[in-house]
Structures are given as structure tokens and as C-alpha cells.
Amino acid sequence: MERRSFLRGAVIGGTAAAFGGTLMRGAAYAAPAQPGPGPYGALGAADANGIQLPSGFTSRVIARSGQKVGSTTYTWHNAPDGGACFVNGTGWIYVSNSEINPGGGASAVTFSSTGAITGAYRILSNTRTNCAGGKTPWNTWLSCEEVSLGYVYETDPYGVNPAVRRDAMGRFKHEAAAADPVRKVVYLTEDESNGCLYRFVPTTWGDLSTGTLQVLRAGTATSGSFTWATVPDPDGSPTYTRDQVSGAKRFNGGEGCHYANDTVWFTTKGDNRLWQLNLASNTYELAYDDSLVTGGTAPLTGVDNVTGSSSGDLFVAEDGGNMEICVITPDDVVAPFLRINGQSGSEICGPAFSPDGRRLYFSSQRGTTGSSSGGITYEVTGPFRA
């Protein structure tokens, strides 16, 4: 079976490796016995927050579940998950989902131009298991319910307008969403072992109240061409959306999703893979698969949420594994960017950059306690690549 990937002649932790792509067809994916440093260098010793970072980077705790956020009166939610950042005057906002049921919802933290916490508040309540989601070009947050026949809720990160349930975006076990302003669609992942990848085509771009839900159709191989087919009944009842279209491509546990430069990147946790859709050519390919790593330890395991930086780097958070956020560069380097120590019963969620690209926010969903009430939300500041 042919395997194609952006990891062609890849560098894993600073050592050359091949992934069997169009330039190295049929080659075996290889990695060094001990992955070395990536573009930011080796990880240092754990800091006071238990986080190992490259030289020049520092961390701080932004919020803890069940505790007041900074000097505000707002209590941070349990099980913080997917997140995103938004411009707010000269400062910014970080929003975060709550993956609990019942309750769920999402909260927001506001920051001044210097990074000081200036406020916190609830932007969505009384939903179920809000896992990941996605930011829209018109500055709303799509919060997705990771339950069977779950909904997408469009929320206002500024806390002015009430959240709105977007039924037209389909009822299924939603995970993440990624807006494509070029094609004017929103891509949606499904967290089922036989899940699908969808796109929602709004009737009017910027208004998600009506539109068409479509599912990706393709063969069973790990690369090839694809098409989109309309889902007849987005309500998913009595037939699940993933079972309504013949030839719908199956993915093993869809997780994070990120759009950039005519490409959609998304992860599947069931087989620990990163995929890419090449929208200009209507082709898909397997971009990373830890099961193909030979001769050493895979640099990235437990793939989950994914985001991108202005440099074109991808940052992939691990669900479990050794609790790392790994960086994948345009030059095909795959290496740890940070590691959280002492929290093996947790997972890393919600990576998102501040608008100026100088700060990375993320959460450890269950922290040191292994419980949803032990969540911790962090900020990392440092010389991120422009």
C-alpha cells in the first residue's frame, strides 16, 4: 500500500528519516532511537509548574478548576478542553470548553495588552461534554458536544450575545471544527471508531443557521482522491449521519482539526495518525503514523488537539502518552516542544496562540489529581518562531 505524506525525507528530532512519500516511494518510516531536540532545542528541567520547556520559555498557571481566576470572582470550570484566542481591543481573550456531563459549556478569560488577567466569565452553559470546537472568521467560538447526537453551539467569546445551537451543522459525536474562508465551509471531525469527516456549507457565509452538511467520500487506502456527498438527514435520527452515505470514508476517532493554506490537518486517536486534506487537488494523505516508526520511540503519541502558528508550525497535543505538545515544522521536523510531569492521568487540551503569536495557552484536563475537578490551564511565553 502506498503511503504519502508531508513527512518526506523527514527529520524526527533532528535526525533524517523517510516516510515513504512521492519523493521516497516505498521507503520505511524511521526514527532515531532517542528523538533529539526540535527547532527550539532540547527540553530543560521541569519548572515550578512541572513543565519542561526549551531555553527562553516560561510558564504560568492561568486558572485551576474550582478556583477563582486571578483576582476575579469567577470560578474556573472542570475538565478544561478545546480552546481558542480572540483579539479584544489591545488585549485578547482565551476561551475554553468544559468536558463534563451534565453541565459542559465554556468559559472565557480576558487579558490586557501586557498579558495581565482582567476578567473571566461564562459564555455557554447547560450543554454536554463540550470537547473541542473551532474559531470562526467572524470571531465566534464553535463549541462541540462530544456525545452521540451532540450539537454544535455558536458562542460569543466577548460575553455579549447568547449562545445559539446550530442544528444545521448536524447531530453526531462532534469533536473539532475548522473554518475555511476560501471555500466558505466549516470542517467537522467525529469522535467515533468508525467516524467520518464532514464539512458544513452555510447558505450564507457568516451565518450558520442554515446550510448543507456533507461527508467526505473516498476509498479505504491511506491516500487518494476524495469527493463530498450531501448527508440526507443531518439530524442523525433514526440513522446516524455517518451511515447515511455509501462510500463515506471512515476514520478511527476524529480529534483535532486545523485549516491553513488550502490544507486541513486532523488527527485520529484510535490509530494515532495525523491526516491532511489537500484542498487544491482534492486529495488526502496520511501525514504521520506512529505505528510506522521503527528503530526507536515515536516522537508523538496519543494525538489530540492541533493548532498552527504564524511560522507554519503545527502544534499537536497528546492525550496521555508522556503528556507533550509536539511541534511539526514545514521542514518536517517532529519533536517535543513541552512536557508536563507528574500528570500521567491527564491529557493536554486546547492549544491556542495569542493574537501576537507570543503566548501559547493550553490545559491539562485533569491535572495532578486525575479528576475533572483538577484541571489546570497554562500559558507559555517565549521566542516562538515568526
mmCIF file of all heavy atoms in Angstrom, residues 165-201:
data_model
loop_
_atom_site.group_PDB
_atom_site.id
_atom_site.type_symbol
_atom_site.label_atom_id
_atom_site.label_comp_id
_atom_site.label_asym_id
_atom_site.label_seq_id
_atom_site.Cartn_x
_atom_site.Cartn_y
_atom_site.Cartn_z
ATOM 1 N N ARG A 165 -27.638 27.302 19.358
ATOM 2 C CA ARG A 165 -27.436 25.931 18.887
ATOM 3 C C ARG A 165 -27.591 25.906 17.370
ATOM 4 O O ARG A 165 -28.574 26.393 16.828
ATOM 5 C CB ARG A 165 -28.465 25.005 19.530
ATOM 6 C CG ARG A 165 -28.114 23.533 19.428
ATOM 7 C CD ARG A 165 -29.129 22.699 20.164
ATOM 8 N NE ARG A 165 -30.373 22.568 19.397
ATOM 9 C CZ ARG A 165 -31.485 22.021 19.882
ATOM 10 N NH1 ARG A 165 -31.517 21.588 21.137
ATOM 11 N NH2 ARG A 165 -32.564 21.919 19.128
ATOM 12 N N ARG A 166 -26.610 25.308 16.674
ATOM 13 C CA ARG A 166 -26.617 25.289 15.218
ATOM 14 C C ARG A 166 -26.999 23.891 14.715
ATOM 15 O O ARG A 166 -26.156 23.069 14.377
ATOM 16 C CB ARG A 166 -25.243 25.710 14.688
ATOM 17 C CG ARG A 166 -24.873 27.153 15.007
ATOM 18 C CD ARG A 166 -25.924 28.123 14.514
ATOM 19 N NE ARG A 166 -25.518 29.522 14.621
ATOM 20 C CZ ARG A 166 -26.347 30.549 14.439
ATOM 21 N NH1 ARG A 166 -27.636 30.325 14.150
ATOM 22 N NH2 ARG A 166 -25.909 31.784 14.526
ATOM 23 N N ASP A 167 -28.297 23.617 14.668
ATOM 24 C CA ASP A 167 -28.804 22.299 14.300
ATOM 25 C C ASP A 167 -28.391 21.875 12.897
ATOM 26 O O ASP A 167 -28.183 20.676 12.634
ATOM 27 C CB ASP A 167 -30.333 22.274 14.397
ATOM 28 C CG ASP A 167 -30.844 22.484 15.809
ATOM 29 O OD1 ASP A 167 -30.054 22.917 16.671
ATOM 30 O OD2 ASP A 167 -32.031 22.223 16.053
ATOM 31 N N ALA A 168 -28.288 22.831 11.983
ATOM 32 C CA ALA A 168 -27.980 22.500 10.590
ATOM 33 C C ALA A 168 -26.592 21.888 10.445
ATOM 34 O O ALA A 168 -26.312 21.232 9.430
ATOM 35 C CB ALA A 168 -28.097 23.747 9.711
ATOM 36 N N MET A 169 -25.724 22.055 11.436
ATOM 37 C CA MET A 169 -24.373 21.508 11.371
ATOM 38 C C MET A 169 -24.322 20.032 11.750
ATOM 39 O O MET A 169 -23.252 19.434 11.772
ATOM 40 C CB MET A 169 -23.424 22.328 12.249
ATOM 41 C CG MET A 169 -23.335 23.783 11.830
ATOM 42 S SD MET A 169 -22.111 24.747 12.731
ATOM 43 C CE MET A 169 -20.600 24.225 11.898
ATOM 44 N N GLY A 170 -25.479 19.451 12.008
ATOM 45 C CA GLY A 170 -25.572 18.024 12.212
ATOM 46 C C GLY A 170 -25.518 17.600 13.661
ATOM 47 O O GLY A 170 -24.969 18.295 14.514
ATOM 48 N N ARG A 171 -26.129 16.421 13.903
ATOM 49 C CA ARG A 171 -26.099 15.811 15.230
ATOM 50 C C ARG A 171 -25.280 14.530 15.150
ATOM 51 O O ARG A 171 -25.676 13.551 14.514
ATOM 52 C CB ARG A 171 -27.517 15.510 15.712
ATOM 53 C CG ARG A 171 -28.383 16.732 15.922
ATOM 54 C CD ARG A 171 -29.661 16.336 16.638
ATOM 55 N NE ARG A 171 -29.393 15.911 18.011
ATOM 56 C CZ ARG A 171 -30.322 15.346 18.811
ATOM 57 N NH1 ARG A 171 -31.546 15.123 18.345
ATOM 58 N NH2 ARG A 171 -30.011 15.000 20.045
ATOM 59 N N PHE A 172 -24.117 14.567 15.751
ATOM 60 C CA PHE A 172 -23.265 13.391 15.866
ATOM 61 C C PHE A 172 -22.265 13.656 16.981
ATOM 62 O O PHE A 172 -22.360 14.689 17.662
ATOM 63 C CB PHE A 172 -22.576 13.045 14.539
ATOM 64 C CG PHE A 172 -21.815 14.179 13.880
ATOM 65 C CD1 PHE A 172 -20.490 14.433 14.187
ATOM 66 C CD2 PHE A 172 -22.443 14.985 12.925
ATOM 67 C CE1 PHE A 172 -19.789 15.447 13.567
ATOM 68 C CE2 PHE A 172 -21.736 16.009 12.297
ATOM 69 C CZ PHE A 172 -20.415 16.244 12.627
ATOM 70 N N LYS A 173 -21.354 12.731 17.199
ATOM 71 C CA LYS A 173 -20.379 12.889 18.282
ATOM 72 C C LYS A 173 -19.295 13.856 17.818
ATOM 73 O O LYS A 173 -18.225 13.461 17.368
ATOM 74 C CB LYS A 173 -19.795 11.540 18.672
ATOM 75 C CG LYS A 173 -19.133 11.513 20.038
ATOM 76 C CD LYS A 173 -18.757 10.083 20.432
ATOM 77 C CE LYS A 173 -18.179 10.029 21.835
ATOM 78 N NZ LYS A 173 -17.814 8.639 22.212
ATOM 79 N N HIS A 174 -19.602 15.135 17.956
ATOM 80 C CA HIS A 174 -18.716 16.192 17.469
ATOM 81 C C HIS A 174 -17.425 16.256 18.273
ATOM 82 O O HIS A 174 -17.403 16.006 19.472
ATOM 83 C CB HIS A 174 -19.417 17.551 17.575
ATOM 84 C CG HIS A 174 -20.461 17.787 16.541
ATOM 85 N ND1 HIS A 174 -20.166 18.243 15.281
ATOM 86 C CD2 HIS A 174 -21.806 17.623 16.582
ATOM 87 C CE1 HIS A 174 -21.282 18.383 14.587
ATOM 88 N NE2 HIS A 174 -22.297 18.006 15.357
ATOM 89 N N GLU A 175 -16.364 16.645 17.576
ATOM 90 C CA GLU A 175 -15.091 16.873 18.245
ATOM 91 C C GLU A 175 -14.586 18.281 17.939
ATOM 92 O O GLU A 175 -14.696 19.178 18.762
ATOM 93 C CB GLU A 175 -14.072 15.821 17.823
ATOM 94 C CG GLU A 175 -12.717 15.966 18.500
ATOM 95 C CD GLU A 175 -12.753 15.633 19.973
ATOM 96 O OE1 GLU A 175 -13.547 14.777 20.374
ATOM 97 O OE2 GLU A 175 -11.957 16.233 20.727
ATOM 98 N N ALA A 176 -14.037 18.496 16.756
ATOM 99 C CA ALA A 176 -13.437 19.796 16.428
ATOM 100 C C ALA A 176 -14.056 20.379 15.173
ATOM 101 O O ALA A 176 -14.708 19.683 14.389
ATOM 102 C CB ALA A 176 -11.926 19.639 16.250
ATOM 103 N N ALA A 177 -13.814 21.671 14.982
ATOM 104 C CA ALA A 177 -14.300 22.392 13.807
ATOM 105 C C ALA A 177 -13.198 23.309 13.308
ATOM 106 O O ALA A 177 -12.435 23.869 14.099
ATOM 107 C CB ALA A 177 -15.541 23.210 14.151
ATOM 108 N N ALA A 178 -13.101 23.469 11.977
ATOM 109 C CA ALA A 178 -12.094 24.353 11.382
ATOM 110 C C ALA A 178 -12.721 25.083 10.206
ATOM 111 O O ALA A 178 -13.219 24.453 9.266
ATOM 112 C CB ALA A 178 -10.877 23.559 10.926
ATOM 113 N N ALA A 179 -12.718 26.406 10.259
ATOM 114 C CA ALA A 179 -13.346 27.221 9.217
ATOM 115 C C ALA A 179 -12.376 27.459 8.061
ATOM 116 O O ALA A 179 -11.192 27.726 8.272
ATOM 117 C CB ALA A 179 -13.804 28.550 9.803
ATOM 118 N N ASP A 180 -12.905 27.372 6.860
ATOM 119 C CA ASP A 180 -12.148 27.596 5.627
ATOM 120 C C ASP A 180 -12.750 28.817 4.930
ATOM 121 O O ASP A 180 -13.777 28.718 4.261
ATOM 122 C CB ASP A 180 -12.258 26.352 4.742
ATOM 123 C CG ASP A 180 -11.585 26.504 3.385
ATOM 124 O OD1 ASP A 180 -11.143 27.609 3.040
ATOM 125 O OD2 ASP A 180 -11.520 25.486 2.655
ATOM 126 N N PRO A 181 -12.119 30.001 5.062
ATOM 127 C CA PRO A 181 -12.693 31.222 4.485
ATOM 128 C C PRO A 181 -12.581 31.292 2.977
ATOM 129 O O PRO A 181 -13.236 32.118 2.350
ATOM 130 C CB PRO A 181 -11.865 32.330 5.149
ATOM 131 C CG PRO A 181 -10.555 31.687 5.452
ATOM 132 C CD PRO A 181 -10.867 30.266 5.801
ATOM 133 N N VAL A 182 -11.757 30.435 2.379
ATOM 134 C CA VAL A 182 -11.606 30.432 0.923
ATOM 135 C C VAL A 182 -12.802 29.739 0.275
ATOM 136 O O VAL A 182 -13.439 30.275 -0.634
ATOM 137 C CB VAL A 182 -10.291 29.755 0.511
ATOM 138 C CG1 VAL A 182 -10.175 29.691 -1.010
ATOM 139 C CG2 VAL A 182 -9.103 30.503 1.100
ATOM 140 N N ARG A 183 -13.113 28.547 0.755
ATOM 141 C CA ARG A 183 -14.232 27.785 0.202
ATOM 142 C C ARG A 183 -15.530 28.068 0.938
ATOM 143 O O ARG A 183 -16.588 27.571 0.579
ATOM 144 C CB ARG A 183 -13.904 26.289 0.229
ATOM 145 C CG ARG A 183 -12.800 25.952 -0.763
ATOM 146 C CD ARG A 183 -11.949 24.771 -0.338
ATOM 147 N NE ARG A 183 -10.695 24.808 -1.105
ATOM 148 C CZ ARG A 183 -9.622 25.473 -0.721
ATOM 149 N NH1 ARG A 183 -9.623 26.148 0.423
ATOM 150 N NH2 ARG A 183 -8.544 25.496 -1.468
ATOM 151 N N LYS A 184 -15.436 28.819 2.026
ATOM 152 C CA LYS A 184 -16.584 29.239 2.823
ATOM 153 C C LYS A 184 -17.348 28.049 3.365
ATOM 154 O O LYS A 184 -18.560 27.908 3.192
ATOM 155 C CB LYS A 184 -17.489 30.182 2.015
ATOM 156 C CG LYS A 184 -16.774 31.454 1.582
ATOM 157 C CD LYS A 184 -17.679 32.406 0.818
ATOM 158 C CE LYS A 184 -16.915 33.685 0.451
ATOM 159 N NZ LYS A 184 -17.758 34.634 -0.309
ATOM 160 N N VAL A 185 -16.586 27.165 4.042
ATOM 161 C CA VAL A 185 -17.155 25.979 4.666
ATOM 162 C C VAL A 185 -16.501 25.785 6.031
ATOM 163 O O VAL A 185 -15.484 26.407 6.348
ATOM 164 C CB VAL A 185 -16.941 24.714 3.800
ATOM 165 C CG1 VAL A 185 -17.593 24.882 2.430
ATOM 166 C CG2 VAL A 185 -15.457 24.397 3.645
ATOM 167 N N VAL A 186 -17.094 24.898 6.840
ATOM 168 C CA VAL A 186 -16.533 24.524 8.133
ATOM 169 C C VAL A 186 -16.354 23.013 8.155
ATOM 170 O O VAL A 186 -17.312 22.265 7.901
ATOM 171 C CB VAL A 186 -17.444 24.958 9.301
ATOM 172 C CG1 VAL A 186 -16.837 24.541 10.637
ATOM 173 C CG2 VAL A 186 -17.677 26.469 9.272
ATOM 174 N N TYR A 187 -15.135 22.535 8.444
ATOM 175 C CA TYR A 187 -14.846 21.109 8.527
ATOM 176 C C TYR A 187 -15.098 20.633 9.956
ATOM 177 O O TYR A 187 -14.808 21.342 10.919
ATOM 178 C CB TYR A 187 -13.412 20.831 8.098
ATOM 179 C CG TYR A 187 -13.111 21.355 6.718
ATOM 180 C CD1 TYR A 187 -12.494 22.604 6.551
ATOM 181 C CD2 TYR A 187 -13.489 20.648 5.578
ATOM 182 C CE1 TYR A 187 -12.251 23.105 5.272
ATOM 183 C CE2 TYR A 187 -13.250 21.149 4.302
ATOM 184 C CZ TYR A 187 -12.637 22.380 4.160
ATOM 185 O OH TYR A 187 -12.405 22.887 2.904
ATOM 186 N N LEU A 188 -15.608 19.392 10.081
ATOM 187 C CA LEU A 188 -16.020 18.865 11.377
ATOM 188 C C LEU A 188 -15.530 17.427 11.536
ATOM 189 O O LEU A 188 -15.733 16.601 10.639
ATOM 190 C CB LEU A 188 -17.545 18.888 11.509
ATOM 191 C CG LEU A 188 -18.234 20.250 11.348
ATOM 192 C CD1 LEU A 188 -19.696 20.068 10.988
ATOM 193 C CD2 LEU A 188 -18.098 21.057 12.630
ATOM 194 N N THR A 189 -14.888 17.122 12.668
ATOM 195 C CA THR A 189 -14.462 15.759 12.943
ATOM 196 C C THR A 189 -15.480 15.063 13.843
ATOM 197 O O THR A 189 -16.231 15.708 14.581
ATOM 198 C CB THR A 189 -13.079 15.722 13.613
ATOM 199 O OG1 THR A 189 -13.093 16.540 14.794
ATOM 200 C CG2 THR A 189 -12.007 16.214 12.661
ATOM 201 N N GLU A 190 -15.478 13.718 13.783
ATOM 202 C CA GLU A 190 -16.428 12.896 14.537
ATOM 203 C C GLU A 190 -15.652 11.893 15.368
ATOM 204 O O GLU A 190 -14.892 11.079 14.823
ATOM 205 C CB GLU A 190 -17.365 12.175 13.577
ATOM 206 C CG GLU A 190 -18.410 11.305 14.262
ATOM 207 C CD GLU A 190 -19.355 10.643 13.274
ATOM 208 O OE1 GLU A 190 -18.956 10.423 12.102
ATOM 209 O OE2 GLU A 190 -20.498 10.336 13.664
ATOM 210 N N ASP A 191 -15.862 11.903 16.683
ATOM 211 C CA ASP A 191 -15.107 11.043 17.586
ATOM 212 C C ASP A 191 -15.814 9.705 17.772
ATOM 213 O O ASP A 191 -16.364 9.397 18.836
ATOM 214 C CB ASP A 191 -14.894 11.733 18.923
ATOM 215 C CG ASP A 191 -13.865 11.020 19.783
ATOM 216 O OD1 ASP A 191 -13.361 9.974 19.339
ATOM 217 O OD2 ASP A 191 -13.573 11.500 20.885
ATOM 218 N N GLU A 192 -15.808 8.911 16.718
ATOM 219 C CA GLU A 192 -16.300 7.537 16.732
ATOM 220 C C GLU A 192 -15.232 6.655 16.097
ATOM 221 O O GLU A 192 -14.484 7.102 15.226
ATOM 222 C CB GLU A 192 -17.597 7.402 15.930
ATOM 223 C CG GLU A 192 -18.759 8.221 16.449
ATOM 224 C CD GLU A 192 -19.518 7.547 17.586
ATOM 225 O OE1 GLU A 192 -19.056 6.472 18.050
ATOM 226 O OE2 GLU A 192 -20.543 8.086 18.009
ATOM 227 N N SER A 193 -15.171 5.399 16.507
ATOM 228 C CA SER A 193 -14.172 4.496 15.946
ATOM 229 C C SER A 193 -14.400 4.255 14.460
ATOM 230 O O SER A 193 -13.466 3.882 13.739
ATOM 231 C CB SER A 193 -14.175 3.159 16.691
ATOM 232 O OG SER A 193 -15.449 2.544 16.592
ATOM 233 N N ASN A 194 -15.620 4.473 13.987
ATOM 234 C CA ASN A 194 -15.937 4.391 12.559
ATOM 235 C C ASN A 194 -16.526 5.716 12.079
ATOM 236 O O ASN A 194 -17.460 5.755 11.291
ATOM 237 C CB ASN A 194 -16.913 3.247 12.281
ATOM 238 C CG ASN A 194 -18.260 3.430 12.996
ATOM 239 O OD1 ASN A 194 -18.346 4.196 13.958
ATOM 240 N ND2 ASN A 194 -19.283 2.736 12.539
ATOM 241 N N GLY A 195 -15.959 6.801 12.593
ATOM 242 C CA GLY A 195 -16.465 8.128 12.305
ATOM 243 C C GLY A 195 -16.098 8.636 10.927
ATOM 244 O O GLY A 195 -15.374 7.984 10.164
ATOM 245 N N CYS A 196 -16.580 9.826 10.626
ATOM 246 C CA CYS A 196 -16.369 10.439 9.315
ATOM 247 C C CYS A 196 -15.795 11.843 9.475
ATOM 248 O O CYS A 196 -15.706 12.369 10.590
ATOM 249 C CB CYS A 196 -17.681 10.507 8.541
ATOM 250 S SG CYS A 196 -18.362 8.891 8.085
ATOM 251 N N LEU A 197 -15.425 12.414 8.351
ATOM 252 C CA LEU A 197 -15.045 13.817 8.288
ATOM 253 C C LEU A 197 -16.118 14.537 7.482
ATOM 254 O O LEU A 197 -16.497 14.088 6.393
ATOM 255 C CB LEU A 197 -13.681 14.002 7.630
ATOM 256 C CG LEU A 197 -13.188 15.457 7.568
ATOM 257 C CD1 LEU A 197 -12.778 15.937 8.959
ATOM 258 C CD2 LEU A 197 -12.022 15.602 6.602
ATOM 259 N N TYR A 198 -16.604 15.646 8.017
ATOM 260 C CA TYR A 198 -17.704 16.378 7.397
ATOM 261 C C TYR A 198 -17.266 17.789 7.025
ATOM 262 O O TYR A 198 -16.265 18.302 7.525
ATOM 263 C CB TYR A 198 -18.884 16.494 8.365
ATOM 264 C CG TYR A 198 -19.426 15.191 8.874
ATOM 265 C CD1 TYR A 198 -18.862 14.574 9.997
ATOM 266 C CD2 TYR A 198 -20.510 14.565 8.264
ATOM 267 C CE1 TYR A 198 -19.370 13.376 10.492
ATOM 268 C CE2 TYR A 198 -21.027 13.374 8.749
ATOM 269 C CZ TYR A 198 -20.449 12.774 9.862
ATOM 270 O OH TYR A 198 -20.953 11.596 10.344
ATOM 271 N N ARG A 199 -18.075 18.410 6.168
ATOM 272 C CA ARG A 199 -17.972 19.850 6.002
ATOM 273 C C ARG A 199 -19.388 20.405 5.957
ATOM 274 O O ARG A 199 -20.317 19.779 5.436
ATOM 275 C CB ARG A 199 -17.180 20.243 4.760
ATOM 276 C CG ARG A 199 -17.885 20.044 3.436
ATOM 277 C CD ARG A 199 -17.067 20.629 2.287
ATOM 278 N NE ARG A 199 -17.787 20.529 1.016
ATOM 279 C CZ ARG A 199 -17.321 20.963 -0.147
ATOM 280 N NH1 ARG A 199 -16.124 21.528 -0.218
ATOM 281 N NH2 ARG A 199 -18.041 20.847 -1.243
ATOM 282 N N PHE A 200 -19.536 21.582 6.548
ATOM 283 C CA PHE A 200 -20.813 22.288 6.538
ATOM 284 C C PHE A 200 -20.697 23.475 5.605
ATOM 285 O O PHE A 200 -19.773 24.289 5.730
ATOM 286 C CB PHE A 200 -21.182 22.760 7.947
ATOM 287 C CG PHE A 200 -22.484 23.511 8.007
ATOM 288 C CD1 PHE A 200 -23.694 22.869 7.757
ATOM 289 C CD2 PHE A 200 -22.495 24.868 8.297
ATOM 290 C CE1 PHE A 200 -24.889 23.563 7.804
ATOM 291 C CE2 PHE A 200 -23.693 25.566 8.347
ATOM 292 C CZ PHE A 200 -24.893 24.914 8.100
ATOM 293 N N VAL A 201 -21.618 23.556 4.649
ATOM 294 C CA VAL A 201 -21.633 24.634 3.663
ATOM 295 C C VAL A 201 -22.784 25.570 3.997
ATOM 296 O O VAL A 201 -23.946 25.274 3.687
ATOM 297 C CB VAL A 201 -21.787 24.082 2.234
ATOM 298 C CG1 VAL A 201 -21.630 25.204 1.213
ATOM 299 C CG2 VAL A 201 -20.785 22.966 1.955
#
